[in-house]
Amino acid sequence: MTTTKKVKAEKPFVHFMVDLETLGVIPNKNPVLQIAAVKFNPVEFEAIKREDGTIVAFEAFLPLADQLKLGRTPDAGTIKWWSDPKQAPAAAVVFKGVQEAPPLKEQLVKFADWITEQCRQPDGSLAESVFWAKPTLFDYPFLDGLFLESGVPSPFHFRKVIDMHSHIMSA
């Protein structure tokens, strides 16, 4: 008698390169100013594009005031870095965005919803999201902490986090 082994189909993955701008280097202490994410192909290391040629990406600024209420505090050295005249063009854009940003929880929900929508498969099921960053030891803890502190479920699981440095070194 032969037996047939049922093999569970592996859930598909959707990969996102994530980058944060912050006011410090301590993940659960310093504020996050901006989230940027790009859906990408990890084999070719190219951004996924829509039919019209635009890159599938997300960007949101996060309000500083909401994070200060959570007990996050800016790092003096990082404020000095942002104040450097060489940073002026980027700082003007980032801090204008931070000033005009909707509430923190709203921005995090918007980001989580975007990730979920990008993971939606043609049959309606959801693929698993994979978080990539350079380095993940910086970006992932900042973002994961904000989701936790804000009571918003994270669209990423710690087991699906890939560090670009490690990946590049292993190639």
Side-chain angles (χ1 to χ4, degrees), residues 3 29 37 44 46 66 83 91 102 116 143 170:
T3 58
K29 182 179 181 197
E44 297 169 3
E46 291 185 5
D66 290 358
S83 301
T116 300
L143 194 56
S170 71

Side-chain angles (χ1 to χ4, degrees), residues 44-82:
E44 297 169 3
F45 272 85
E46 291 185 5
I48 303 291
K49 294 182 180 177
R50 295 180 186 88
E51 287 182 23
D52 67 2
T54 59
I55 292 173
V56 179
F58 178 91
E59 178 185 54
F61 294 102
L62 305 180
L64 189 55
D66 290 358
Q67 295 178 74
L68 296 175
K69 289 176 191 170
L70 292 173
R72 289 182 177 245
T73 56
D75 171 70
T78 307
I79 291 173
K80 183 178 176 184
W81 182 86
W82 277 107

